[in-house]
Amino acid sequence: MGASSASSSHHVHRNLTAGFIQLPLDHKDIEIQRPYDVPESARYSFVNGVHKMWVYSDDKPHSINSRTNPRTELAIKGYEYSSGVWQFEAEGFVPPGTSGVCVMQIFGASHPRATTLMIRTFKGYLSYYRSPVLVPNIWNRWFKLNVIHDVDASTVKIYIDGVLVHEAAGRGGSSHAFKCGVYSQNDASHYMESRWKGIKVFKK
């Protein structure tokens, strides 16, 4: 199945988690991946239920042996999956100026790819990888994100504020996991930040 854009009806789905089971999630189920040479508190905070993550374009990678771009990401651990239907739900916020960065991903895909999904922000819009644009104006407001990955059907659906904005084909792979935060990509701003709250994981 190829990628397709959302319909023009902008139908709001109010109960995307119906039929799913919510999995317990607390601090033991998350790992903060940040530049290896700084303490966690220098790139991450958790205050009043909000996970705030930031990184600089000249930061080190998350491990000394990694050649990947700078990141500060919240990785959900213990819920890696290889089959079934899984859903990520959270509210996200991207401050003005943050650009050229992945703010949410599904890690895992068939070689040579590393991810099944990247949601990026560039100059104020959200996009699926580099294109298509999902939302034209995302800076400086909270948005609700639901991502549904049907591994067996090989589909990924992206909902913003309850509206299906994109459906894409899966990318294979034997193990997947959800991550959110900031992971530097092409033409990144020097400072990158995103905030997340109400993070939930569901499966069926």
Side-chain angles (χ1 to χ4, degrees):
M1 177 179 176
S4 62
S5 297
S7 70
S8 59
S9 64
H10 295 291
H11 174 68
V12 176
H13 299 261
R14 302 193 182 278
N15 195 8
L16 290 167
T17 60
F20 285 81
I21 298 170
Q22 183 176 346
L23 302 173
L25 193 67
D26 58 32
H27 279 279
K28 70 176 176 55
D29 301 310
I30 67 173
E31 174 190 356
I32 303 303
Q33 299 176 343
R34 83 279 180 182
Y36 69 81
D37 62 338
V38 299
E40 183 177 289
S41 61
R43 295 294 184 273
Y44 167 81
S45 68
F46 182 67
V47 179
N48 296 326
V50 176
H51 302 270
K52 177 181 173 182
M53 288 160 278
W54 63 97
V55 77
Y56 297 90
S57 59
D58 53 0
D59 271 339
K60 302 290 188 186
H62 68 292
S63 69
I64 196 167
N65 295 318
S66 174
R67 295 184 179 181
T68 59
N69 292 340
R71 74 179 79 199
T72 303
E73 289 186 299
L74 184 156
I76 296 175
K77 309 299 289 183
Y79 291 130
E80 292 83 1
Y81 60 94
S82 58
S83 63
V85 185
W86 289 71
Q87 180 170 181
F88 173 92
E89 178 182 274
E91 292 181 67
F93 182 96
V94 180
T98 288
S99 185
V101 62
C102 171
V103 295
M104 186 270 170
Q105 65 166 298
I106 298 176
F107 182 75
S110 294
H111 183 77
R113 294 168 170 152
T115 62
T116 287
L117 169 67
M118 274 193 174
I119 296 177
R120 300 182 185 180
T121 182
F122 185 71
K123 294 185 177 179
Y125 61 76
L126 278 186
S127 62
Y128 168 82
Y129 290 93
R130 293 191 184 190
S131 66
V133 172
L134 305 176
V135 180
N137 299 295
I138 206 66
W139 278 346
N140 210 33
R141 72 173 181 89
W142 285 98
F143 60 92
K144 187 175 182 180
L145 174 66
N146 292 77
V147 172
I148 299 176
H149 183 196
D150 187 331
V151 181
D152 304 320
S154 192
T155 61
V156 177
K157 294 180 179 179
I158 306 166
Y159 297 81
I160 304 289
D161 296 326
V163 175
L164 177 63
V165 293
H166 192 63
E167 181 173 353
R171 292 183 160 203
S174 58
S175 181
H176 303 282
F178 297 125
K179 302 171 73 173
C180 61
V182 278
Y183 177 22
S184 176
Q185 300 295 309
N186 306 89
D187 302 315
S189 52
H190 178 61
Y191 176 78
M192 293 157 274
E193 176 192 321
S194 72
R195 305 169 202 168
W196 296 87
K197 64 183 179 180
I199 299 172
K200 299 173 184 174
V201 175
F202 302 84
K203 72 175 225 180
K204 68 176 180 181

